[in-house]
């Protein structure tokens, strides 16, 4: 069971990684990284400003303590001049306590000043890195965009892109349907011409029927022509007989030239 769960977890992570890799845009990732670096740089600058503020506050406190120390020293001198040694001793005691505070504040001031210098140097270095990353980021983004455009153009020319692939498939389907319809129409015409299929409209005829119709039409024309000739000749039987007699006389006359060479030979 444990092995099955591990395998399922590995498959899930592999699928998720592949999906994330497909959805990831390097340009967006670079912009996000640059944004995070800017935020880090802003934090460092804020830290420098906070340290500088603390240092400035210590400097103000040091100024106040040094002013109070100088004032106590003057008071002690005046008390001693007036013969008030006790007041002079008290003033010097307070001044000594203030001097200890001044020493502690000066130590803190030096520490803060050192931290401020380190943070300032770190901020400058980070600023340089951020500027360099920004330049590199823009270069990579421009290169990626150009490569992506070039790839899309190449895919469009080669017809392997998704959009052009859909267009090519649509064209192929249209050509296949057109060829299928043309083949079906040709097959139907051949079947109608051969008589294998009947034309319900009665307009189409096969080759044999067309030949018979042509012969019938020619015979009707000849009969009509003979009838018209008979009408033009007046329809009398005598004229027809004379015409027939003339034809009979013309037949022996045509045979006369055939017999003449026989008599010459004898």
């Amino acid at each position: 069971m444990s092995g099955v769960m591990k395998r399922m977890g590995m498959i899930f992570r592999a699928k998720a990684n592949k999906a994330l890799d497909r959805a990831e845009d390097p340009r967006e990732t670079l912009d996000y990284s640059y944004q995070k670096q800017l935020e880090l740089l802003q934090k460092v600058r804020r830290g420098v400003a906070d340290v500088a503020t603390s240092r400035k506050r210590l400097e103000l406190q040091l100024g106040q303590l040094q002013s109070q120390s100088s004032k106590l020293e003057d008071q002690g001198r005046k008390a001693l001049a007036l013969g008030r040694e006790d007041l002079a001793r008290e003033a010097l005691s307070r001044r000594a306590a203030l001097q200890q505070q001044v020493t502690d504040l000066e130590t803190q001031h030096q520490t803060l000043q050192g931290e401020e210098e380190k943070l300032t140097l770190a901020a400058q270095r980070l600023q340089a890195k951020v500027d360099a990353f920004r330049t590199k980021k823009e270069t990579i983004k421009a290169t990626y965009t150009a490569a992506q455009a070039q790839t899309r153009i190449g895919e469009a020319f080669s017809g392997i892109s998704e959009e052009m692939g859909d267009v090519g498939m649509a064209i192929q389907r249209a050509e296949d349907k057109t060829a299928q319809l043309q083949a079906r129409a040709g097959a139907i015409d051949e079947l109608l011409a051969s008589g294998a299929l009947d034309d319900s409209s009665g307009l189409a005829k096969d080759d044999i029927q067309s030949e018979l119709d042509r012969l019938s039409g020619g015979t009707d024309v000849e009969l009509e022509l003979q009838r018209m000739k008979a009408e033009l000749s007046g329809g009398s039987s005598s004229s027809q007989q004379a015409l027939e007699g003339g034809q009979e006389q013309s037949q022996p006359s045509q045979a006369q030239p055939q017999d003449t060479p026989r008599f010459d030979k004898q």
Side-chain angles (χ1 to χ4, degrees):
M1 189 64 183
S2 177
V4 174
M5 294 300 295
K6 288 182 179 180
R7 187 175 180 183
M8 290 179 61
M10 183 181 295
I11 294 174
F12 177 76
R13 287 191 297 270
K15 295 291 185 181
N17 187 28
K18 186 176 181 180
L20 290 175
D21 184 67
R22 189 184 299 110
E24 182 182 8
D25 189 346
R27 294 168 295 184
E28 295 178 354
T29 304
L30 290 173
D31 290 336
Y32 180 76
S33 299
Y34 178 69
Q35 184 65 31
K36 287 298 182 181
Q37 291 184 11
L38 289 178
E39 292 178 359
L40 179 60
L41 179 60
Q42 186 66 25
K43 291 180 179 179
V44 173
R45 289 177 175 176
R46 190 179 296 111
V48 173
D50 293 340
V51 172
T53 302
S54 299
R55 176 183 57 79
K56 192 64 178 178
R57 187 181 297 112
L58 288 178
E59 290 177 355
L60 293 176
Q61 292 180 1
L62 283 173
Q64 294 177 358
L65 292 176
Q66 289 175 356
S67 177
Q68 293 179 4
S69 177
S70 299
K71 184 178 180 181
L72 289 172
E73 185 179 1
D74 293 337
Q75 290 177 351
R77 287 182 180 183
K78 290 180 181 180
L80 187 59
L82 295 174
R84 297 292 305 271
E85 184 176 350
D86 54 341
L87 292 176
R89 185 179 290 106
E90 182 65 24
L92 292 176
S93 297
R94 292 181 180 183
R95 180 177 178 275
L98 290 176
Q99 283 298 119
Q100 184 63 38
Q101 294 180 10
V102 168
T103 301
D104 295 339
L105 289 178
E106 286 179 350
T107 301
Q108 294 180 9
H109 180 269
Q110 291 177 359
T111 302
L112 288 176
Q113 191 172 6
E115 293 294 331
E116 182 181 357
E117 292 176 356
K118 291 180 180 179
L119 289 174
T120 302
L121 183 59
Q124 293 175 355
R125 291 178 179 177
L126 183 58
Q127 180 67 54
K129 290 183 178 180
V130 170
D131 293 339
F133 180 80
R134 179 179 61 187
T135 303
K136 188 175 182 179
K137 172 181 71 72
E138 295 299 329
T139 302
I140 294 175
K141 287 176 61 178
T143 305
Y144 179 83
T145 303
Q148 188 181 39
Q150 186 177 2
T151 302
R152 288 180 177 176
I153 292 172
E155 289 179 350
F157 275 113
S158 60
I160 62 176
S161 62
E162 294 181 0
E163 294 81 1
M164 296 303 296
D166 294 339
V167 174
M169 291 178 63
I171 294 175
Q172 185 64 38
R173 288 195 299 269
E175 291 178 351
D176 293 341
K177 288 183 179 179
T178 302
Q180 184 178 0
L181 291 176
Q182 291 176 347
R184 184 177 180 84
I188 291 174
D189 291 339
E190 291 179 359
L191 292 174
L192 288 175
S194 63
L197 290 179
D198 294 332
D199 185 8
S200 59
S201 63
L203 298 178
K205 299 180 179 179
D206 56 8
D207 295 339
I208 298 175
Q209 185 65 36
S210 299
E211 185 67 19
L212 292 175
D213 292 343
R214 185 180 65 80
L215 293 176
S216 298
T219 304
D220 293 340
V221 171
E222 293 296 331
L223 292 175
E224 184 67 20
L225 182 60
Q226 293 295 331
R227 187 182 63 80
M228 292 178 65
K229 286 182 178 181
E231 291 178 355
L232 290 175
S233 63
S236 61
S237 59
S238 59
S239 60
Q240 291 179 356
Q241 292 175 358
L243 182 59
E244 293 175 355
Q247 292 178 354
E248 292 176 356
Q249 293 177 0
S250 61
Q251 290 177 356
S253 63
Q254 291 177 356
Q256 187 71 24
Q258 295 178 356
D259 297 336
T260 302
R262 293 179 182 178
F263 295 117
D264 292 339
K265 288 180 182 180
Q266 290 176 357

